[in-house]
Amino acid sequence: MTASVQAALDLRLVVADMDGTLLDEHGQVPDGLWPLLADMRARGVLFVPASGRQYATLHREFAHAAEGMPFIAENGSYVVRDGVEISSDPLDGAFVRGVLVALDELAADGPDLGVVVCGKRSAYVSRTDDAFLGEARKYYAALEVVCDLAAVDDEILKVAVYDFGNAEQQTAPHLSRLRSDKNRVVVSGVHWIDLMSATADKGAAVRALQSALGITPAQTAAFGDYLNDLEMLDAAEWSFAMADAHPEVARRARFQAPSHREYGVVTTLTRLLAQQA
């Protein structure tokens, strides 16, 4: 930690983004996390992965430690613990159909885009080339190929757009017109943009967990690196931006953790738990 943490700790909830935060440079959960999770469980501290990834993917990543572990999936629009839904915030079907039309029109003008319609049961794609499917399968363990995305019969939590260029610079400006008081457009990575409910974000998910579990922001630590982590950091008094975080994330967080390449979540949590002990 580059900032001094002096206040007394009563840590009960730790929430960590995945890509660019918890996962190492190879996209793997650091080996050092597993013994730390056992220590946290013994202390009564809950660890919560929070990601744009779907629940099935997160559960697969943490399969041997998943018992009792809450998961914040789909950028906060779906929160599940032991298979039981804690909260969800699905999209209106008419909005989803309008988004798909707008994306077809945008792609026709040049940007190379892939679309994932993210439901509670599965994620759905219609594009089948290896380049796009390879990216989609990194984040969606339950993935179905369908002929018509608009005909998917599922509760839709999010529409994720993969831009083979720079999503924030190339595609996000064109999608901004889809924002409303009911829906939002979030840049969630260099190549990804998520369209979701205006009231769905990782911060809302953390607050739902805090309410369900009787945990306060003062008992919560959060780690993030990108724009879709901002509200999550706001929900925790112990908020950490990774060393190579987006500049807005670095401004918003109270503290800084080392880069994910230096296992910043693991090293910072180890220090926090030692201080609590």
Side-chain angles (χ1 to χ4, degrees), residues 87-267:
S87 68
S88 65
D89 197 346
L91 288 168
D92 174 72
F95 173 74
V96 172
R97 291 187 290 273
V99 166
L100 295 175
V101 170
L103 289 171
D104 282 343
E105 293 172 350
L106 180 59
D109 290 334
D112 190 4
L113 305 178
V115 180
V116 185
V117 172
C118 308
K120 286 187 178 181
R121 294 194 305 272
S122 180
Y124 307 88
V125 296
S126 58
R127 180 170 168 170
T128 60
D129 58 289
D130 290 342
F132 172 62
L133 284 180
E135 294 298 330
R137 285 174 175 146
K138 291 179 184 178
Y139 306 101
Y140 301 98
L143 187 67
E144 295 183 22
V145 177
V146 299
C147 295
D148 183 4
L149 290 174
V152 165
D153 181 19
D154 199 347
E155 284 190 82
I156 306 305
L157 300 163
K158 183 184 73 179
V159 177
V161 183
Y162 184 83
D163 186 332
F164 281 85
N166 185 295
E168 185 175 9
Q169 296 174 4
Q170 180 169 265
T171 301
H174 295 284
L175 298 181
S176 61
R177 64 183 176 85
L178 299 175
R179 290 191 182 98
S180 71
D181 59 346
K182 295 183 178 180
N183 308 295
R184 61 201 301 255
V185 180
V186 181
V187 179
S188 57
V190 175
H191 299 287
W192 287 99
I193 297 175
D194 293 330
L195 297 101
M196 35 197 300
S197 166
T199 51
D201 57 57
K202 292 181 183 180
V206 171
R207 290 190 295 274
L209 269 177
Q210 289 167 333
S211 177
L213 300 172
I215 294 172
T216 69
Q219 296 172 313
T220 305
F223 296 83
D225 76 305
Y226 219 76
L227 298 172
N228 59 327
D229 299 322
L230 290 172
E231 294 86 357
M232 177 180 75
L233 297 175
D234 292 343
E237 288 194 12
W238 302 95
S239 57
F240 293 85
M242 309 311 288
D244 48 2
H246 189 287
E248 181 58 29
V249 176
R251 284 192 290 270
R252 194 92 144 236
R254 295 188 177 194
F255 306 103
Q256 186 181 92
S259 162
H260 69 112
R261 296 178 181 86
E262 301 175 274
Y263 314 112
V265 172
V266 171
T267 56

